[in-house]
Amino acid sequence: MVKKKFFAKPLAKTALRLAFGAALVLSASLVFTACGRGAPRTDTLIVGAPSLPVSLDPTLSNDIPSGRAILHIYDTLVDLDYDMLPRPNLAESWEWVDPQNPTQLRVFLRSGVLFHNGDELTANDVAFSLNRASIAPAIGANAGMIQNAAAVNEREVLITLEYPFVPLINFLGHPSLSIVNERAVTEMGVDAHSQSPVGTGPYRVTNIVAGDRLELVRWEQHWGGPAALENLVFRALPDAATRLIALETGEIDVMITVLPQDMAHINNHPDLVLLNEMNLATHYIAFNVSRPPFDDIRVRHAIQYAIDLDSMVQAVFMGAMAPATGPINQMVWASAADRLDPFPFNPDRARELLAEAGFPDGFSTTFYAYPHPQRVDTAEIMQNMLREVGIDMSVQVLEFGAFLAASNRGEPDIIAIAWITVPGDPDHGLFGPFHTSTWGGGNRSFFSHPEVDVLLEAGRRETDPAVRADIYYQVQRIVREESPWIFQATGAEIVGIRNNVQGFNVAPNMLHRFWNVSFAN
């Protein structure tokens, strides 16, 4: 029997983290108060998050911080409710031209919708946005199936697909398919528009302070009625202790990404409320399988056996999340997580496989992380576990945007991040991370497998849900065996709010909506 090691976070480290966070938040609060928005507030909601958007252009990035802001600046054709069911948004209705062969979708637009520059939304704006999205490399998995979008008249758009794709309706609710103003993008250019975006959403951008905050103001002429609060501010507070103290002192009203070790503190605080719900994410560790030594399945399996996953997940997530057994979790329909066998912890087998692969003395490799405690903790724990089987793993920590850029270029050997099945369909949870065409986008392991490609393409074309479910089971089975990922943990969305915040609900896809949030009297 192999004795398991528990890599707990020392209490002294937590105390030091909180003390350092207190100093940072004091400095941040002085700066923010100087800007004229110090507490008390009745018209400004401040959201503290680990990072700001990478881009405010829907087509240039596919990360959650960007999507969360984009959701408030633009509108999508379809809105996904909290059960991930589509409902009308900019599109009042839609219909397949031939339901038996879903390759053409007619979309009928809402009238009287105004952009932030005063232009009225037309079918030309929608066609322009979708055609632009369809060729954007960063969101190819979300929009690449669109062959063409054409304005039939001022209020109707015909979307033609390269192949039948039933999940299109849900995908039209993804922030990357938000509708932009054709005139604004054309006249301003992409870079300028990214800094001063023109959407139809409930808020418009008033100020961007790089690395610090994004300030939005209510769009009074929003077609759905004005937002509850006049101002919405996203603040970048990478350190979790800083965010927690900012929440306690009222410098922020909502804290995104509460660490498990802080849950009890928030839950017992008289002024705070803890929200903790399972989400559509899978936390994973990815190998770059396109180059040695990770192009050898024996090396990948060796590392799987070298990782004591139960101990790692307990140390990193402290009981808030469970070890994952597949690439998509049980909240996503067609998940095979309960049908896939996890790799057991077996360092002896890991050493045998390394020797078979030509590395009897191990090798050196590099792990890239970003300043998120759970990612850094994962790196440190994995570093210790791999050392036991002879692998020397160094760790580099990059700012989130730099981390994404480096991983898109394929620079790291190993990374840790999460994938969120934003539209709630298994295609999104599997095509983006594992199809060859998405290298440099969602496929951060640079995985390529001919059978997986064929299956994923078949899943997109299939209209029978039962057949689709079987296709996605086959994909998940192969991915488990090929091991481009270590399935680390199922996702949970843990958010802290001030107790005077009302109207906030946790979104299972992590794209939280704030336009209906207000303060209790």
Side-chain angles (χ1 to χ4, degrees):
M1 177 182 293
V2 178
K3 185 177 180 180
K4 292 188 176 183
K5 298 178 182 179
F6 184 79
F7 297 84
K9 189 186 296 291
L11 293 177
K13 184 176 178 182
T14 300
L16 180 62
R17 180 175 64 86
L18 289 170
F20 179 66
L24 286 178
V25 79
L26 174 61
S27 172
S29 69
L30 290 174
V31 171
F32 202 71
T33 302
C35 294
R37 296 228 176 117
R41 302 180 308 275
T42 58
D43 63 350
T44 301
L45 185 78
I46 304 179
V47 179
S51 59
L52 289 180
V54 174
S55 174
L56 295 179
D57 186 306
T59 66
L60 296 184
S61 190
N62 195 23
D63 61 285
I64 289 296
S66 297
R68 197 177 285 137
I70 285 168
L71 196 68
H72 292 79
I73 299 166
Y74 307 88
D75 287 306
T76 49
L77 291 172
V78 171
D79 179 52
L80 298 176
D81 66 17
Y82 287 94
D83 293 319
M84 307 311 296
L85 298 175
R87 59 186 183 185
N89 208 39
L90 289 182
E92 285 190 318
S93 62
W94 51 83
E95 64 181 22
W96 291 106
V97 173
D98 180 359
Q100 302 305 312
N101 182 35
T103 57
Q104 288 191 307
L105 185 73
R106 299 173 67 196
V107 176
F108 304 96
L109 302 178
R110 190 179 300 278
S111 62
V113 176
L114 296 180
F115 283 100
H116 300 156
N117 62 0
D119 289 354
E120 185 172 353
L121 171 75
T122 70
N124 288 328
D125 295 301
V126 174
F128 173 81
S129 300
L130 297 182
N131 287 328
R132 182 172 180 260
S134 72
I135 58 173
I139 58 168
N142 301 337
M145 74 293 296
I146 298 175
Q147 184 178 77
N148 181 59
V152 177
N153 54 51
E154 285 293 295
R155 293 286 169 264
E156 183 182 342
V157 177
L158 180 65
I159 303 172
T160 301
L161 307 179
E162 291 187 7
Y163 45 79
F165 186 63
V166 174
L168 177 68
I169 309 300
N170 275 47
F171 275 59
L172 292 176
H174 194 286
S176 62
L177 274 71
S178 294
I179 304 305
V180 302
N181 179 260
E182 179 179 13
R183 182 172 70 87
V185 174
T186 303
E187 293 180 357
M188 296 169 66
V190 173
D191 291 341
H193 184 263
S194 297
Q195 295 298 308
S196 300
V198 178
T200 63
Y203 286 94
R204 58 184 179 84
V205 176
T206 57
N207 189 32
I208 302 173
V209 181
D212 182 62
R213 65 187 182 274
L214 168 67
E215 297 182 358
L216 309 177
V217 68
R218 180 169 58 202
W219 172 234
E220 299 288 353
Q221 300 182 70
H222 187 253
W223 59 268
L229 295 176
E230 183 178 356
N231 303 295
L232 174 63
V233 178
F234 292 97
R235 284 190 58 192
L237 298 171
D239 179 71
T242 303
R243 292 199 304 282
L244 178 57
I245 296 169
L247 185 68
E248 287 186 286
T249 60
E251 292 296 327
I252 63 174
D253 307 296
V254 179
M255 175 183 175
I256 302 296
T257 311
V258 172
L259 296 185
Q261 58 265 35
D262 295 330
M263 291 171 61
H265 180 79
I266 293 176
N267 209 32
N268 294 325
H269 196 291
D271 299 328
L272 307 180
V273 176
L274 181 73
L275 304 172
N276 179 15
E277 298 183 19
M278 189 174 180
N279 64 22
L280 293 161
T282 297
H283 298 265
Y284 68 93
I285 299 165
F287 310 115
N288 187 334
V289 302
S290 68
R291 62 173 186 236
F294 300 104
D295 59 345
D296 191 324
I297 193 172
R298 294 170 296 185
V299 171
R300 304 196 297 272
H301 280 187
I303 295 178
Q304 295 272 16
Y305 285 117
I307 299 301
D308 182 352
L309 192 63
D310 288 345
S311 293
M312 173 187 278
V313 171
Q314 177 61 35
V316 173
F317 301 104
M318 301 182 69
M321 302 181 198
T325 54
I328 53 178
N329 71 35
Q330 297 90 327
M331 282 193 72
V332 183
W333 77 267
S335 168
D338 60 346
R339 302 169 66 185
L340 302 174
D341 294 326
F343 284 86
F345 177 47
N346 190 339
D348 291 337
R349 180 58 179 151
R351 295 184 191 96
E352 291 174 1
L353 287 169
L354 288 172
E356 290 177 16
F359 300 102
D361 300 317
F363 58 87
S364 296
T365 188
T366 304
F367 185 112
Y368 278 35
Y370 54 95
H372 186 299
Q374 291 167 354
R375 306 298 178 231
V376 175
D377 288 351
T378 293
E380 292 174 352
I381 292 168
M382 187 169 178
Q383 187 179 49
N384 291 332
M385 290 178 173
L386 294 188
R387 188 180 294 120
E388 296 295 317
V389 298
I391 297 175
D392 179 21
M393 188 182 83
S394 61
V395 179
Q396 292 191 31
V397 180
L398 305 177
E399 178 273 329
F400 184 62
F403 167 85
L404 286 180
S407 64
N408 286 342
R409 292 191 298 265
E411 291 179 10
D413 295 330
I414 309 173
I415 63 168
I417 196 170
W419 182 267
I420 302 94
T421 305
V422 174
D425 189 90
D427 173 83
H428 184 273
L430 296 170
F431 194 99
F434 301 116
H435 194 274
T436 303
S437 68
T438 60
W439 279 25
N443 190 341
R444 301 186 190 281
S445 60
F446 291 80
F447 177 71
S448 180
H449 191 284
E451 187 178 355
V452 167
D453 285 352
V454 169
L455 286 166
L456 287 171
E457 290 160 13
R460 291 192 144 193
R461 291 167 168 79
E462 181 57 56
T463 58
D464 186 326
V467 177
R468 289 188 77 211
D470 183 64
I471 287 171
Y472 293 128
Y473 166 70
Q474 299 300 328
V475 170
Q476 292 167 82
R477 179 185 56 78
I478 295 170
V479 167
R480 182 268 181 202
E481 177 61 26
E482 291 294 319
S483 293
W485 286 9
I486 296 173
F487 311 133
Q488 188 184 19
T490 58
E493 190 67 358
I494 312 172
V495 178
I497 62 174
R498 300 283 302 175
N499 63 6
N500 65 334
V501 171
Q502 58 185 15
F504 175 77
N505 293 296
V506 173
N509 60 8
M510 301 172 67
L511 298 175
H512 308 306
R513 292 101 182 275
F514 297 110
W515 52 81
N516 290 325
V517 174
S518 61
F519 295 113
N521 296 327

